[in-house]
Amino acid sequence: YVKNCVDAFRSGTYTSGGEVFGKPGDYGNLEATAAAILLDREASDSTLLHDPSYGSLREPLLKVMALMKSMEYQTQFPDNLPGPEFAKEFQTRLYRLHTKIGQGAYEFPSVFSWFLPEYVANAGPSLEAQLVSPESMILTLPNTVGLLNGMFSLIKYGLSSCYGGFGTDPDVGRTCFDLNNERFGNYG
């Protein structure tokens, strides 16, 4: 699937059902690339939807790290804090991440990490097929909402505590503003 998409992007063409999309030799042709993404057999085959072993689940912490990497996140030092300036080895901290998404770096609940290796979800196709799904152990509604709120805040406000963001202690740093430009919290 990925190879077909890359080939379509590089060659400028994609063929599906006898129809050619794009222009030959047009490197980066979006018509060919979009056709490859949407019309490829792996993307449109309904039998894969019925296979309980198809697909994967990504850990919440990896989702946050992938978002930060895709945004090319860089630490910004708060400039309005009292006291001496920050040391040059300042580290980014994700404040109480385990309470928001169910998982945090170096905050294992036991020596066996966050998941039990033999965990089988108590509902859905993986239960019927008796497939283990350790990552789904922390996939709860509060953790999912916390993840979505934190990702929204990260995209809109940067690494802050605004709207349930992943930023530092809410009492440190700059302030958040609501739609009327009135202060309602802090971010840093």
Side-chain angles (χ1 to χ4, degrees):
Y1 175 72
V2 174
K3 182 183 181 317
N4 290 339
C5 295
V6 170
D7 289 345
F9 183 84
R10 289 182 177 162
S11 70
T13 61
Y14 180 77
T15 305
S16 176
E19 188 167 341
V20 178
F21 297 89
K23 298 176 188 169
D26 186 13
Y27 181 86
N29 185 294
L30 291 180
E31 179 186 2
T33 306
I37 292 169
L38 298 173
L39 301 175
D40 189 81
R41 183 196 66 79
E42 191 171 333
S44 59
D45 188 3
S46 63
T47 59
L48 293 175
L49 297 175
H50 301 291
D51 182 2
S53 65
Y54 180 75
S56 63
L57 187 63
R58 184 184 267 186
E59 298 174 29
L61 183 60
L62 295 180
K63 289 180 185 179
V64 172
M65 294 299 117
L67 177 63
M68 292 177 80
K69 185 177 179 180
S70 71
M71 294 175 61
E72 298 179 2
Y73 176 79
Q74 294 181 353
T75 300
Q76 179 181 0
F77 297 108
D79 55 357
N80 63 341
L81 295 177
E85 293 185 24
F86 280 108
K88 296 203 186 292
E89 59 272 355
F90 178 76
Q91 296 176 356
T92 299
R93 298 231 166 100
L94 302 174
Y95 186 68
R96 295 187 180 175
L97 195 62
H98 65 283
T99 63
K100 296 174 183 174
I101 67 171
Q103 188 179 29
Y106 311 113
E107 296 172 357
F108 306 113
S110 78
V111 296
F112 301 108
S113 186
W114 293 282
F115 325 113
L116 297 174
E118 70 277 358
Y119 181 78
V120 176
N122 57 5
S126 60
L127 173 65
E128 295 165 12
Q130 285 298 298
L131 295 172
V132 295
S133 179
E135 293 86 357
S136 66
M137 190 171 173
I138 60 172
L139 187 63
T140 64
L141 189 57
N143 290 346
T144 302
V145 170
L147 177 67
L148 293 174
N149 285 342
M151 291 174 108
F152 167 78
S153 177
L154 183 61
I155 292 167
K156 187 162 184 169
Y157 301 106
L159 188 60
S160 71
S161 62
C162 296
Y163 291 107
F166 303 134
T168 58
D169 186 340
D171 295 330
V172 175
R174 299 168 287 185
T175 57
C176 300
F177 292 92
D178 64 11
L179 297 175
N180 298 324
N181 210 22
E182 294 180 15
R183 181 176 186 260
F184 71 88
N186 295 320
Y187 70 98

